[in-house]
Every structure is written in structure tokens, then in C-alpha cells.
């Protein structure tokens, strides 16, 4: 299903199919049916003191009917809205799986046999894959949500997948270093009642828009109960930013 140009198809939340040259990457697979995960504050790894504006069960929406055909998997980090039990059950054990070095052993323990931690950079099917920094929030909350990563894919086109991060110096430095053709941002302005947002909101996305002439696609919206920024609000408050619906594809 891959094309000669770079494209991104949103599945749901941060789960996307990323086509570069003749290779398709499945990114951050979360396959749990609608409503079968707990509210985010009851998820593993979330500190007990955090609360949210609502207690809806996740995911908030169903998976769209999309053909999941891919060559490799990329996991930016193992939070349950990016990697879930349903993905563990559905993916082939021998699929090439790219991840953060800190989390490689956990994938191996789950039975995956071709785990490829990316320390700095690696290659796959002629595409160079760079791991880039991310900051999942502000202050102590960001420290507790770490580690998270982004990835840059260099083929005929260059794609920067920022991952769960806010706008900060390292995002700007990555844009300057790689001059991508396409940038995929995790929006939604995920927010607990305590602290500042932990993913990008309107101001963050506007800052990215001002820092690059790349095409920008924003995902990670309207699927998890603490992602409070809607697609409608984001479209109304930004210019020249693509905000796809679940199942929708954007191509360069």
C-alpha cells in the first residue's frame, strides 16, 4: 500500500500508517475497542495524585475500518494509548519493531523477536531512522512521563514524527537540523487537573508552524479522555495545518 511519496494515514489517536518511498511503518499501535480501557488516571504508570476533568473510559471512539498493511512497527513510548495489550496480541512476533533503548527489553519479554532499539540512528529498507528528543509536559510531571522519543525518517522525503512532546528547544533544533518535508505532531493538549498540558496545544502547534515550511499534520486528538482540545477548535485557531479525521490520509 506504500506510495512513492510520503504520506500519513491517521488510524486513531497516535496510531498512524506512515508511508515513505516503498515502505510503510505502523506507528504507536493502540487497537483496544472503544471503551474497553480505563480512564487515563487509572492507567498503569500514571501517578495516583493526578485527576482529570472527566472519567470517561478509553478509547472514546472506535477504530475505523482501515487495511493495516505495513512493513515495520515504530513505538515512540509505551504509554497505554500508544502501545496496548490488543497490539501485543495482534502483531506478528517477528515484525521489525523500532523503539527507545530503555524499553527494548520489555518488548522482548512480550515475545517480540526482532526488536530494534534506536540509540541514535539506524536504517531500514534504505530509509535512515533517527531518534529525537521529546518532553512530555513541564517540570516534574514531564520527568515522571519520561522517557519519550520522536523519530525522523529520511528517504526521498524527510518526515519528522515528534511524538508526545510539547514545543521546546529540542523540537526547534530537530526542525533546523533535518528540514523535514512533513511533520506529524501529537496534539489534543492532553491535560490533567494538575500541572500544564503534556502534549501540544494551539500555541505549541503555532510555534511549529512558524518554525518550518513543512506540511504539518496533527493527530492524537478526540480519542483519549484527557485530550481536551478538539479538532474543530484547532482548525479554527490555526492556519495551514492539516487535522485529519480517523481513517483519513494526507499525502505530499
Amino acid at each position: 500500500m506504500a506510495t512513492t511519496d510520503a504520506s500519513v494515514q491517521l488510524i486513531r489517536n497516535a496510531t498512524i500508517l506512515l508511508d515513505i518511498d516503498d515502505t510503510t511503518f505502523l506507528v504507536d499501535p493502540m487497537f483496544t475497542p472503544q471503551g474497553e480501557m480505563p480512564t487515563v488516571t487509572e492507567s498503569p504508570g500514571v501517578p495516583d495524585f493526578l485527576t482529570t476533568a472527566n472519567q470517561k473510559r478509553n478509547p472514546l471512539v472506535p477504530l475505523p475500518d482501515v487495511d493495516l498493511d505495513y512493513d515495520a512497527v515504530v513505538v515512540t513510548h509505551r504509554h497505554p494509548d500508544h502501545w496496548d495489550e490488543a497490539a501485543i496480541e495482534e502483531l506478528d512476533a517477528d515484525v521489525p519493531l523500532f523503539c527507545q533503548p530503555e524499553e527494548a527489553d520489555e518488548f522482548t519479554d512480550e515475545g517480540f523477536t526482532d526488536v530494534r532499539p534506536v540509540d541514535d540512528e539506524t536504517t531500514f529498507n534504505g530509509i535512515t531512522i533517527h531518534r529525537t528528543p521529546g518532553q512530555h509536559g513541564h517540570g516534574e510531571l514531564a520527568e515522571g512521563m519520561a522517557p519519550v522519543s520522536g523519530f525522523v525518517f529520511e528517504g526521498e522525503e524527510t518526515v519528522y514524527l515528534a511524538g508526545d512532546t510539547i514545543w521546546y528547544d529540542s523540537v526547534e533544533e530537530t526542525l533546523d537540523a533535518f528540514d523535514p518535508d512533513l511533520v506529524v505532531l501529537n496534539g489534543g493538549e492532553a491535560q490533567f487537573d494538575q500541572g500544564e498540558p503534556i502534549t501540544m496545544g494551539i500555541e505549541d502547534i503555532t510555534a511549529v508552524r512558524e518554525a518550518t515550511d513543512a506540511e504539518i499534520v496533527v493527530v492524537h486528538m478526540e480519542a483519549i479522555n484527557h485530550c481536551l482540545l478538539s479538532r474543530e477548535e484547532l482548525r479554527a485557531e490555526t492556519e495551514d495545518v492539516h487535522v485529519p479525521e480517523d481513517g483519513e490520509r494526507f499525502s505530499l
Side-chain angles (χ1 to χ4, degrees):
M1 64 180 290
T3 63
T4 55
D5 295 324
S7 71
V8 57
Q9 183 176 17
L10 172 61
I11 308 304
R12 180 183 62 183
N13 195 48
T15 306
I16 63 172
L17 291 172
L18 177 61
D19 290 346
I20 303 176
D21 301 344
D22 294 318
T23 299
T24 302
F25 297 93
L26 171 65
V27 178
D28 286 353
M30 178 188 68
F31 295 151
T32 300
Q34 181 179 9
E36 294 191 11
M37 293 171 65
T39 184
V40 70
T41 50
E42 296 175 4
S43 298
V46 176
D48 291 341
F49 69 88
L50 293 175
T51 58
T52 53
N54 66 76
Q55 293 297 305
K56 296 176 182 177
R57 289 182 60 83
N58 294 308
L60 304 177
V61 294
L63 280 169
D65 185 11
V66 172
D67 181 17
L68 290 174
D69 183 14
Y70 50 90
D71 302 294
V73 172
V74 177
V75 180
T76 62
H77 64 299
R78 287 176 55 92
H79 289 173
D81 60 328
H82 296 254
W83 177 257
D84 62 359
E85 290 293 331
I88 296 170
E89 294 173 3
E90 181 165 330
L91 298 178
D92 292 336
D94 61 352
V95 66
L97 194 159
F98 298 90
C99 65
Q100 305 181 102
E102 300 95 328
E103 297 177 332
D105 288 347
E106 294 175 83
F107 292 108
T108 301
D109 291 345
E110 289 165 343
F112 291 92
T113 59
D114 192 3
V115 178
R116 306 188 188 191
V118 183
D119 186 21
D120 182 23
E121 67 177 57
T122 188
T123 60
F124 182 75
N125 286 3
I127 296 166
T128 302
I129 304 171
H130 306 263
R131 187 168 64 90
T132 61
Q135 182 178 313
H136 199 357
H138 302 258
E140 292 184 3
L141 185 54
E143 294 176 9
M145 303 295 281
V148 298
S149 294
F151 290 88
V152 170
F153 303 82
E154 288 186 302
E156 289 296 319
E157 309 283 356
T158 298
V159 179
Y160 173 31
L161 179 77
D164 271 8
T165 186
I166 58 169
W167 168 258
Y168 77 122
D169 289 348
S170 290
V171 173
E172 184 172 18
E173 291 164 2
T174 299
L175 292 169
D176 290 342
F178 292 99
D179 189 22
D181 302 287
L182 174 62
V183 176
V184 182
L185 302 177
N186 287 355
E189 201 168 33
Q191 176 78 69
F192 297 102
D193 293 332
Q194 300 79 14
E196 298 177 75
I198 61 173
T199 62
M200 289 196 179
I202 292 168
E203 290 185 4
D204 304 85
I205 293 164
T206 299
V208 176
R209 175 69 288 162
E210 293 174 350
T212 178
D213 58 2
E215 298 287 350
I216 295 176
V217 174
V218 183
V219 300
H220 199 283
M221 302 191 73
E222 299 183 347
I224 302 297
N225 73 288
H226 68 328
C227 291
L228 305 180
L229 175 64
S230 71
R231 289 180 170 107
E232 181 179 359
E233 290 174 299
L234 180 58
R235 289 171 182 146
E237 296 296 330
T238 55
E239 295 182 357
D240 197 22
V241 171
H242 306 282
V243 188
E245 299 292 332
D246 293 349
E248 186 176 349
R249 179 186 297 276
F250 173 80
S251 301
L252 289 177

